[in-house]
């Protein structure tokens, strides 16, 4: 049982380049999330999805786009990467959105460096 | 090395001692709380949760205490072991209403001294 899988694990981009981070979960969870984690900042929510075909903005959505074409996949895109987007990115999924069963299952993270 | 967690509050504890990690939450409407553990190079993992109708919940070697009056949450780890070294996050959520997903605190790094 893989849980939540993120690809790639590491990536170095040049400023202005684009890329897509892929998140896949095999737990049939309805809800998926993308967070970024920076030193001293904890986990900040970028975008989330409450179901296939739906997305919503989180705390820090600027510079990112997402898509949830299939229930098991949640893609995070950077159209024009900036050094400020250097971070560790985590994908997570939950069975529920509020209250009980909101235990989040996280992927291993993607370390992105923009030079 | 892993840069995540740099500049976080740090708690250093001798192996075998008890650890207490504190968290202040912001939303008085939050009624469900979770503690996560994040080891170096890994994603956060669930430790224990508590609902607002409780003030204490115990797990294996861990206890969570909730004080709603001052909006404070703590995680107590008994007989701390080297494997407990990690960054610990609290998260809050609203069970009955609202449209905000789980909100995470900034985290505390626990360093166990052998």
């Amino acid at each position: 049982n893989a849980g939540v899988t993120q690809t790639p694990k590491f990536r170095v981009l040049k400023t202005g380049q684009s890329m897509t981070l892929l998140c896949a979960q095999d737990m049939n969870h309805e809800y998926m999330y993308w967070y970024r984690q920076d030193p001293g900042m904890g986990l900040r929510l970028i975008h989330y999805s409450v179901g296939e075909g739906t997305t919503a903005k989180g705390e820090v959505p600027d510079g990112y786009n997402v898509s949830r074409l299939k229930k098991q996949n949640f893609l995070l895109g950077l159209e024009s990467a900036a050094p400020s987007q250097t971070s560790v990115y985590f994908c997570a999924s939950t069975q529920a959105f509020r209250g009980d069963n909101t235990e989040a299952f996280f992927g291993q993270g993607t370390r992105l460096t923009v030079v | 090395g892993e840069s995540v967690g740099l500049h976080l509050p740090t708690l250093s504890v001798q192996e075998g001692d008890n650890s207490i990690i504190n968290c202040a939450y912001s939303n008085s409407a939050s009624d469900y709380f979770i503690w996560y553990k994040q080891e170096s190079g890994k994603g956060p993992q669930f430790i224990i949760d508590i609902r607002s109708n409780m003030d204490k919940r115990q797990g294996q070697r861990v206890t969570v205490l909730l004080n709603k009056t001052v909006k404070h949450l703590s995680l107590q780890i008994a007989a701390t072991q080297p494997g407990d070294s990690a960054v610990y996050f609290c998260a809050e959520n609203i069970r009955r209403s609202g449209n905000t997903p789980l909100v995470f605190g900034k985290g505390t790094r626990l360093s166990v001294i052998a």
Side-chain angles (χ1 to χ4, degrees), chain A residues 37 98-100 102 104 111, chain B residues 2 32 36 38 51 89 93 98:
Chain A
Q37 188 173 36
R98 290 187 286 272
D100 298 353
T102 53
R111 179 178 290 279
Chain B
E2 178 62 71
Y32 181 64
Y36 286 87
Q38 185 179 24
R51 299 181 188 177
F89 294 95
N93 191 239

Side-chain angles (χ1 to χ4, degrees), chain B:
Chain B
E2 178 62 71
S3 64
V4 168
L6 198 65
H7 310 309
L8 286 177
T10 299
L11 175 66
S12 295
V13 176
Q14 288 284 343
E15 182 179 357
D17 286 353
N18 297 334
S19 303
I20 300 177
I21 301 169
N22 296 306
C23 176
Y25 63 93
S26 55
N27 191 341
S28 57
S30 294
D31 54 8
Y32 181 64
F33 306 88
I34 305 178
W35 278 100
Y36 286 87
K37 173 186 181 183
Q38 185 179 24
E39 296 176 274
S40 182
K42 297 183 179 179
Q45 287 187 302
F46 173 91
I47 302 174
I48 191 169
D49 60 358
I50 188 169
R51 299 181 188 177
S52 61
N53 62 352
M54 304 169 71
D55 53 20
K56 180 179 180 179
R57 190 170 187 210
Q58 289 185 293
Q60 187 178 15
R61 277 202 312 120
V62 295
T63 301
V64 56
L65 298 178
L66 175 63
N67 185 331
K68 296 182 289 296
T69 303
V70 295
K71 293 189 287 188
H72 183 268
L73 199 62
S74 68
L75 177 71
Q76 300 179 359
I77 304 174
T80 311
Q81 302 168 359
D84 294 327
S85 292
V87 176
Y88 290 81
F89 294 95
C90 65
E92 59 184 294
N93 191 239
I94 299 171
R95 294 180 68 228
R96 294 181 187 81
S97 63
N99 57 4
T100 304
L102 213 57
V103 176
F104 288 83
K106 289 184 169 41
T108 297
R109 177 181 295 283
L110 176 64
S111 179
V112 181
I113 304 166

Side-chain angles (χ1 to χ4, degrees), chain A residues 10-84:
Chain A
F10 303 94
R11 185 73 185 267
V12 177
L13 284 180
K14 294 183 178 179
T15 297
Q17 285 186 315
S18 63
M19 79 163 294
T20 300
L21 282 67
L22 173 63
C23 177
Q25 53 95 4
D26 62 2
M27 297 170 284
N28 200 36
H29 284 173
E30 202 69 36
Y31 308 94
M32 297 186 74
Y33 315 82
W34 275 106
Y35 291 90
R36 60 177 289 172
Q37 188 173 36
D38 302 295
M41 299 294 289
L43 288 160
R44 292 186 292 170
L45 184 64
I46 304 172
H47 286 280
Y48 62 99
S49 169
V50 300
E52 182 179 317
T54 72
T55 64
K57 294 181 180 180
E59 180 186 355
V60 287
D62 294 342
Y64 305 95
N65 57 75
V66 288
S67 63
R68 184 98 180 269
L69 298 179
K70 294 182 179 180
K71 184 177 183 179
Q72 64 268 34
N73 296 336
F74 195 30
L75 279 62
L76 178 71
L78 286 74
E79 289 187 349
S80 180
S84 61

